[in-house]
mmCIF file of all heavy atoms in Angstrom:
data_model
loop_
_atom_site.group_PDB
_atom_site.id
_atom_site.type_symbol
_atom_site.label_atom_id
_atom_site.label_comp_id
_atom_site.label_asym_id
_atom_site.label_seq_id
_atom_site.Cartn_x
_atom_site.Cartn_y
_atom_site.Cartn_z
ATOM 1 N N GLY A 1437 16.348 0.342 -18.856
ATOM 2 C CA GLY A 1437 17.356 1.182 -19.704
ATOM 3 C C GLY A 1437 17.708 0.266 -20.882
ATOM 4 O O GLY A 1437 17.580 0.723 -22.043
ATOM 5 N N ARG A 1438 18.127 -0.998 -20.614
ATOM 6 C CA ARG A 1438 18.506 -1.889 -21.672
ATOM 7 C C ARG A 1438 17.221 -2.324 -22.393
ATOM 8 O O ARG A 1438 17.222 -2.714 -23.495
ATOM 9 C CB ARG A 1438 19.271 -3.054 -21.118
ATOM 10 C CG ARG A 1438 20.746 -2.718 -20.682
ATOM 11 C CD ARG A 1438 21.380 -3.837 -19.901
ATOM 12 N NE ARG A 1438 21.302 -5.049 -20.705
ATOM 13 C CZ ARG A 1438 21.330 -6.348 -19.993
ATOM 14 N NH1 ARG A 1438 21.374 -6.466 -18.694
ATOM 15 N NH2 ARG A 1438 21.310 -7.467 -20.768
ATOM 16 N N PHE A 1439 16.196 -2.523 -21.609
ATOM 17 C CA PHE A 1439 14.855 -2.967 -22.059
ATOM 18 C C PHE A 1439 13.746 -2.101 -21.572
ATOM 19 O O PHE A 1439 13.945 -1.351 -20.606
ATOM 20 C CB PHE A 1439 14.668 -4.369 -21.582
ATOM 21 C CG PHE A 1439 15.732 -5.356 -21.981
ATOM 22 C CD1 PHE A 1439 16.702 -5.758 -21.117
ATOM 23 C CD2 PHE A 1439 15.754 -5.947 -23.354
ATOM 24 C CE1 PHE A 1439 17.692 -6.623 -21.547
ATOM 25 C CE2 PHE A 1439 16.837 -6.818 -23.703
ATOM 26 C CZ PHE A 1439 17.788 -7.141 -22.761
ATOM 27 N N ARG A 1440 12.602 -2.202 -22.244
ATOM 28 C CA ARG A 1440 11.479 -1.511 -21.635
ATOM 29 C C ARG A 1440 10.993 -2.224 -20.435
ATOM 30 O O ARG A 1440 10.962 -3.425 -20.425
ATOM 31 C CB ARG A 1440 10.313 -1.520 -22.672
ATOM 32 C CG ARG A 1440 10.322 -0.464 -23.687
ATOM 33 C CD ARG A 1440 9.056 -0.383 -24.463
ATOM 34 N NE ARG A 1440 8.664 -1.739 -25.006
ATOM 35 C CZ ARG A 1440 7.443 -2.205 -25.058
ATOM 36 N NH1 ARG A 1440 6.405 -1.467 -24.555
ATOM 37 N NH2 ARG A 1440 7.149 -3.358 -25.624
ATOM 38 N N VAL A 1441 10.783 -1.422 -19.393
ATOM 39 C CA VAL A 1441 10.176 -2.154 -18.056
ATOM 40 C C VAL A 1441 8.978 -1.340 -17.763
ATOM 41 O O VAL A 1441 8.987 -0.130 -17.670
ATOM 42 C CB VAL A 1441 11.195 -2.083 -16.981
ATOM 43 C CG1 VAL A 1441 10.617 -2.752 -15.771
ATOM 44 C CG2 VAL A 1441 12.487 -2.766 -17.341
ATOM 45 N N GLU A 1442 7.851 -2.008 -17.574
ATOM 46 C CA GLU A 1442 6.655 -1.458 -17.055
ATOM 47 C C GLU A 1442 6.289 -1.991 -15.733
ATOM 48 O O GLU A 1442 6.695 -3.168 -15.437
ATOM 49 C CB GLU A 1442 5.496 -1.804 -18.138
ATOM 50 C CG GLU A 1442 5.734 -1.077 -19.423
ATOM 51 C CD GLU A 1442 4.814 -1.567 -20.514
ATOM 52 O OE1 GLU A 1442 3.817 -2.205 -20.274
ATOM 53 O OE2 GLU A 1442 5.153 -1.354 -21.766
ATOM 54 N N ILE A 1443 5.665 -1.269 -14.917
ATOM 55 C CA ILE A 1443 5.284 -1.726 -13.580
ATOM 56 C C ILE A 1443 3.850 -1.469 -13.237
ATOM 57 O O ILE A 1443 3.238 -0.386 -13.524
ATOM 58 C CB ILE A 1443 6.153 -0.893 -12.576
ATOM 59 C CG1 ILE A 1443 7.666 -0.920 -12.883
ATOM 60 C CG2 ILE A 1443 5.911 -1.400 -11.130
ATOM 61 C CD1 ILE A 1443 8.512 0.063 -12.202
ATOM 62 N N CYS A 1444 3.176 -2.553 -12.859
ATOM 63 C CA CYS A 1444 1.831 -2.373 -12.449
ATOM 64 C C CYS A 1444 1.691 -2.547 -10.943
ATOM 65 O O CYS A 1444 2.060 -3.515 -10.374
ATOM 66 C CB CYS A 1444 0.938 -3.540 -13.139
ATOM 67 S SG CYS A 1444 -0.772 -3.623 -12.640
ATOM 68 N N ALA A 1445 1.238 -1.439 -10.274
ATOM 69 C CA ALA A 1445 1.198 -1.394 -8.836
ATOM 70 C C ALA A 1445 0.185 -2.533 -8.371
ATOM 71 O O ALA A 1445 -0.635 -2.949 -9.048
ATOM 72 C CB ALA A 1445 0.587 -0.063 -8.346
ATOM 73 N N GLY A 1446 0.455 -2.965 -7.109
ATOM 74 C CA GLY A 1446 -0.340 -3.966 -6.488
ATOM 75 C C GLY A 1446 -0.711 -3.547 -5.012
ATOM 76 O O GLY A 1446 -0.085 -2.628 -4.519
ATOM 77 N N VAL A 1447 -1.724 -4.162 -4.506
ATOM 78 C CA VAL A 1447 -2.072 -3.923 -3.067
ATOM 79 C C VAL A 1447 -0.914 -4.478 -2.241
ATOM 80 O O VAL A 1447 -0.473 -5.640 -2.311
ATOM 81 C CB VAL A 1447 -3.363 -4.708 -2.742
ATOM 82 C CG1 VAL A 1447 -3.618 -4.480 -1.178
ATOM 83 C CG2 VAL A 1447 -4.567 -4.197 -3.558
ATOM 84 N N ALA A 1448 -0.330 -3.570 -1.441
ATOM 85 C CA ALA A 1448 0.821 -4.018 -0.632
ATOM 86 C C ALA A 1448 0.364 -5.022 0.457
ATOM 87 O O ALA A 1448 -0.821 -5.076 0.851
ATOM 88 C CB ALA A 1448 1.400 -2.727 0.164
ATOM 89 N N GLY A 1449 1.237 -6.002 0.794
ATOM 90 C CA GLY A 1449 0.970 -6.921 1.841
ATOM 91 C C GLY A 1449 0.371 -6.233 3.046
ATOM 92 O O GLY A 1449 -0.587 -6.735 3.631
ATOM 93 N N MET A 1450 1.022 -5.165 3.496
ATOM 94 C CA MET A 1450 0.492 -4.476 4.671
ATOM 95 C C MET A 1450 -0.931 -3.964 4.566
ATOM 96 O O MET A 1450 -1.679 -4.116 5.519
ATOM 97 C CB MET A 1450 1.477 -3.407 5.170
ATOM 98 C CG MET A 1450 1.602 -2.316 4.209
ATOM 99 S SD MET A 1450 2.844 -0.993 4.970
ATOM 100 C CE MET A 1450 2.688 0.301 3.866
ATOM 101 N N SER A 1451 -1.275 -3.493 3.350
ATOM 102 C CA SER A 1451 -2.692 -3.015 3.132
ATOM 103 C C SER A 1451 -3.618 -4.105 3.336
ATOM 104 O O SER A 1451 -4.763 -3.998 3.934
ATOM 105 C CB SER A 1451 -2.786 -2.398 1.801
ATOM 106 O OG SER A 1451 -2.107 -1.133 1.755
ATOM 107 N N GLY A 1452 -3.272 -5.320 2.806
ATOM 108 C CA GLY A 1452 -4.076 -6.530 2.940
ATOM 109 C C GLY A 1452 -4.278 -6.966 4.456
ATOM 110 O O GLY A 1452 -5.366 -7.240 4.960
ATOM 111 N N CYS A 1453 -3.190 -6.736 5.210
ATOM 112 C CA CYS A 1453 -3.221 -6.977 6.712
ATOM 113 C C CYS A 1453 -4.111 -6.022 7.385
ATOM 114 O O CYS A 1453 -4.795 -6.344 8.378
ATOM 115 C CB CYS A 1453 -1.877 -7.085 7.211
ATOM 116 S SG CYS A 1453 -0.933 -8.612 6.713
ATOM 117 N N PHE A 1454 -4.018 -4.671 7.083
ATOM 118 C CA PHE A 1454 -4.876 -3.770 7.678
ATOM 119 C C PHE A 1454 -6.377 -4.140 7.518
ATOM 120 O O PHE A 1454 -7.123 -4.107 8.509
ATOM 121 C CB PHE A 1454 -4.768 -2.317 6.996
ATOM 122 C CG PHE A 1454 -3.411 -1.686 6.956
ATOM 123 C CD1 PHE A 1454 -3.123 -0.614 6.116
ATOM 124 C CD2 PHE A 1454 -2.330 -2.197 7.724
ATOM 125 C CE1 PHE A 1454 -1.861 -0.109 5.966
ATOM 126 C CE2 PHE A 1454 -1.113 -1.691 7.658
ATOM 127 C CZ PHE A 1454 -0.835 -0.578 6.771
ATOM 128 N N ALA A 1455 -6.747 -4.494 6.357
ATOM 129 C CA ALA A 1455 -8.136 -4.900 6.048
ATOM 130 C C ALA A 1455 -8.461 -6.180 6.889
ATOM 131 O O ALA A 1455 -9.529 -6.424 7.477
ATOM 132 C CB ALA A 1455 -8.418 -5.029 4.606
ATOM 133 N N ALA A 1456 -7.568 -7.170 6.728
ATOM 134 C CA ALA A 1456 -7.810 -8.477 7.377
ATOM 135 C C ALA A 1456 -8.077 -8.235 8.920
ATOM 136 O O ALA A 1456 -8.921 -8.848 9.531
ATOM 137 C CB ALA A 1456 -6.654 -9.490 7.201
ATOM 138 N N ALA A 1457 -7.219 -7.331 9.507
ATOM 139 C CA ALA A 1457 -7.300 -7.094 10.895
ATOM 140 C C ALA A 1457 -8.342 -6.044 11.272
ATOM 141 O O ALA A 1457 -8.564 -5.715 12.425
ATOM 142 C CB ALA A 1457 -5.946 -6.696 11.405
ATOM 143 N N ARG A 1458 -8.943 -5.382 10.332
ATOM 144 C CA ARG A 1458 -9.944 -4.384 10.500
ATOM 145 C C ARG A 1458 -9.395 -3.324 11.339
ATOM 146 O O ARG A 1458 -10.124 -2.815 12.220
ATOM 147 C CB ARG A 1458 -11.240 -5.053 11.078
ATOM 148 C CG ARG A 1458 -11.745 -6.278 10.335
ATOM 149 C CD ARG A 1458 -12.747 -7.120 11.161
ATOM 150 N NE ARG A 1458 -13.945 -6.338 11.483
ATOM 151 C CZ ARG A 1458 -14.964 -6.035 10.731
ATOM 152 N NH1 ARG A 1458 -14.961 -6.495 9.516
ATOM 153 N NH2 ARG A 1458 -15.907 -5.373 11.161
ATOM 154 N N GLN A 1459 -8.273 -2.818 11.019
ATOM 155 C CA GLN A 1459 -7.668 -1.750 11.842
ATOM 156 C C GLN A 1459 -7.424 -0.481 11.010
ATOM 157 O O GLN A 1459 -6.518 -0.503 10.119
ATOM 158 C CB GLN A 1459 -6.230 -2.264 12.300
ATOM 159 C CG GLN A 1459 -6.303 -3.423 13.321
ATOM 160 C CD GLN A 1459 -6.923 -3.012 14.627
ATOM 161 O OE1 GLN A 1459 -6.751 -1.931 15.139
ATOM 162 N NE2 GLN A 1459 -7.780 -3.875 15.101
ATOM 163 N N PRO A 1460 -8.145 0.568 11.360
ATOM 164 C CA PRO A 1460 -7.811 1.858 10.730
ATOM 165 C C PRO A 1460 -6.417 2.249 11.202
ATOM 166 O O PRO A 1460 -6.120 2.097 12.452
ATOM 167 C CB PRO A 1460 -8.793 2.765 11.414
ATOM 168 C CG PRO A 1460 -9.957 1.870 11.769
ATOM 169 C CD PRO A 1460 -9.379 0.652 12.090
ATOM 170 N N MET A 1461 -5.503 2.513 10.350
ATOM 171 C CA MET A 1461 -4.063 2.544 10.721
ATOM 172 C C MET A 1461 -3.600 4.030 10.946
ATOM 173 O O MET A 1461 -2.818 4.298 11.843
ATOM 174 C CB MET A 1461 -3.171 1.965 9.634
ATOM 175 C CG MET A 1461 -3.205 0.388 9.690
ATOM 176 S SD MET A 1461 -2.573 -0.239 11.287
ATOM 177 C CE MET A 1461 -0.908 0.171 11.170
ATOM 178 N N THR A 1462 -4.012 4.932 10.068
ATOM 179 C CA THR A 1462 -3.467 6.270 10.266
ATOM 180 C C THR A 1462 -4.621 7.348 10.106
ATOM 181 O O THR A 1462 -5.408 7.246 9.155
ATOM 182 C CB THR A 1462 -2.368 6.631 9.235
ATOM 183 O OG1 THR A 1462 -2.925 6.291 7.876
ATOM 184 C CG2 THR A 1462 -1.122 5.849 9.495
ATOM 185 N N TRP A 1463 -4.619 8.243 10.968
ATOM 186 C CA TRP A 1463 -5.609 9.276 11.069
ATOM 187 C C TRP A 1463 -4.920 10.660 10.903
ATOM 188 O O TRP A 1463 -3.897 10.918 11.458
ATOM 189 C CB TRP A 1463 -6.344 9.322 12.445
ATOM 190 C CG TRP A 1463 -6.943 7.981 12.789
ATOM 191 C CD1 TRP A 1463 -6.380 6.953 13.297
ATOM 192 C CD2 TRP A 1463 -8.340 7.708 12.579
ATOM 193 N NE1 TRP A 1463 -7.288 5.990 13.514
ATOM 194 C CE2 TRP A 1463 -8.573 6.466 13.122
ATOM 195 C CE3 TRP A 1463 -9.490 8.332 12.065
ATOM 196 C CZ2 TRP A 1463 -9.787 5.703 13.147
ATOM 197 C CZ3 TRP A 1463 -10.732 7.688 12.166
ATOM 198 C CH2 TRP A 1463 -10.826 6.454 12.769
ATOM 199 N N GLY A 1464 -5.554 11.601 10.152
ATOM 200 C CA GLY A 1464 -5.144 12.963 10.157
ATOM 201 C C GLY A 1464 -3.621 13.108 9.885
ATOM 202 O O GLY A 1464 -3.152 12.765 8.766
ATOM 203 N N ASP A 1465 -2.952 13.639 10.915
ATOM 204 C CA ASP A 1465 -1.528 13.875 10.658
ATOM 205 C C ASP A 1465 -0.634 12.852 11.260
ATOM 206 O O ASP A 1465 0.629 13.056 11.657
ATOM 207 C CB ASP A 1465 -1.207 15.265 11.352
ATOM 208 C CG ASP A 1465 -1.790 16.409 10.386
ATOM 209 O OD1 ASP A 1465 -2.161 16.098 9.338
ATOM 210 O OD2 ASP A 1465 -1.757 17.572 10.926
ATOM 211 N N ASP A 1466 -1.201 11.614 11.510
ATOM 212 C CA ASP A 1466 -0.290 10.566 11.997
ATOM 213 C C ASP A 1466 0.912 10.314 11.128
ATOM 214 O O ASP A 1466 0.864 10.302 9.902
ATOM 215 C CB ASP A 1466 -1.154 9.281 12.012
ATOM 216 C CG ASP A 1466 -2.009 9.083 13.321
ATOM 217 O OD1 ASP A 1466 -1.838 9.856 14.306
ATOM 218 O OD2 ASP A 1466 -2.896 8.187 13.336
ATOM 219 N N VAL A 1467 1.992 9.954 11.832
ATOM 220 C CA VAL A 1467 3.179 9.424 11.133
ATOM 221 C C VAL A 1467 3.178 7.960 11.213
ATOM 222 O O VAL A 1467 2.906 7.341 12.292
ATOM 223 C CB VAL A 1467 4.495 9.979 11.784
ATOM 224 C CG1 VAL A 1467 5.686 9.312 11.203
ATOM 225 C CG2 VAL A 1467 4.525 11.577 11.655
ATOM 226 N N LEU A 1468 3.409 7.265 10.072
ATOM 227 C CA LEU A 1468 3.468 5.835 9.956
ATOM 228 C C LEU A 1468 4.845 5.370 9.733
ATOM 229 O O LEU A 1468 5.568 5.932 8.877
ATOM 230 C CB LEU A 1468 2.527 5.293 8.859
ATOM 231 C CG LEU A 1468 2.703 3.855 8.457
ATOM 232 C CD1 LEU A 1468 2.172 2.937 9.503
ATOM 233 C CD2 LEU A 1468 1.938 3.558 7.158
ATOM 234 N N THR A 1469 5.409 4.447 10.549
ATOM 235 C CA THR A 1469 6.739 3.927 10.201
ATOM 236 C C THR A 1469 6.599 2.427 9.904
ATOM 237 O O THR A 1469 5.943 1.699 10.617
ATOM 238 C CB THR A 1469 7.660 4.150 11.508
ATOM 239 O OG1 THR A 1469 7.612 5.498 11.821
ATOM 240 C CG2 THR A 1469 9.060 3.696 11.217
ATOM 241 N N VAL A 1470 7.267 2.089 8.853
ATOM 242 C CA VAL A 1470 7.348 0.639 8.429
ATOM 243 C C VAL A 1470 8.768 0.236 8.738
ATOM 244 O O VAL A 1470 9.688 0.784 8.192
ATOM 245 C CB VAL A 1470 7.089 0.532 6.838
ATOM 246 C CG1 VAL A 1470 7.020 -0.961 6.495
ATOM 247 C CG2 VAL A 1470 5.667 1.143 6.631
ATOM 248 N N LEU A 1471 8.903 -0.762 9.529
ATOM 249 C CA LEU A 1471 10.254 -1.212 9.921
ATOM 250 C C LEU A 1471 10.472 -2.638 10.062
ATOM 251 O O LEU A 1471 9.458 -3.445 10.297
ATOM 252 C CB LEU A 1471 10.669 -0.463 11.280
ATOM 253 C CG LEU A 1471 10.042 -0.736 12.540
ATOM 254 C CD1 LEU A 1471 10.819 -0.037 13.610
ATOM 255 C CD2 LEU A 1471 8.599 -0.275 12.547
ATOM 256 N N PRO A 1472 11.657 -3.104 9.820
ATOM 257 C CA PRO A 1472 11.960 -4.518 9.940
ATOM 258 C C PRO A 1472 12.247 -4.896 11.316
ATOM 259 O O PRO A 1472 12.992 -4.199 12.067
ATOM 260 C CB PRO A 1472 13.164 -4.803 9.050
ATOM 261 C CG PRO A 1472 13.837 -3.459 9.085
ATOM 262 C CD PRO A 1472 12.769 -2.361 9.358
#
Side-chain angles (χ1 to χ4, degrees):
Chain A
R1438 290 168 53 206
F1439 301 99
R1440 276 192 305 139
V1441 182
E1442 294 168 16
I1443 306 167
C1444 176
V1447 177
M1450 64 182 186
S1451 292
C1453 289
F1454 305 161
R1458 307 165 60 80
Q1459 293 294 319
M1461 283 298 292
T1462 51
W1463 302 83
D1465 288 347
D1466 275 347
V1467 172
L1468 167 69
T1469 305
V1470 181
L1471 67 170

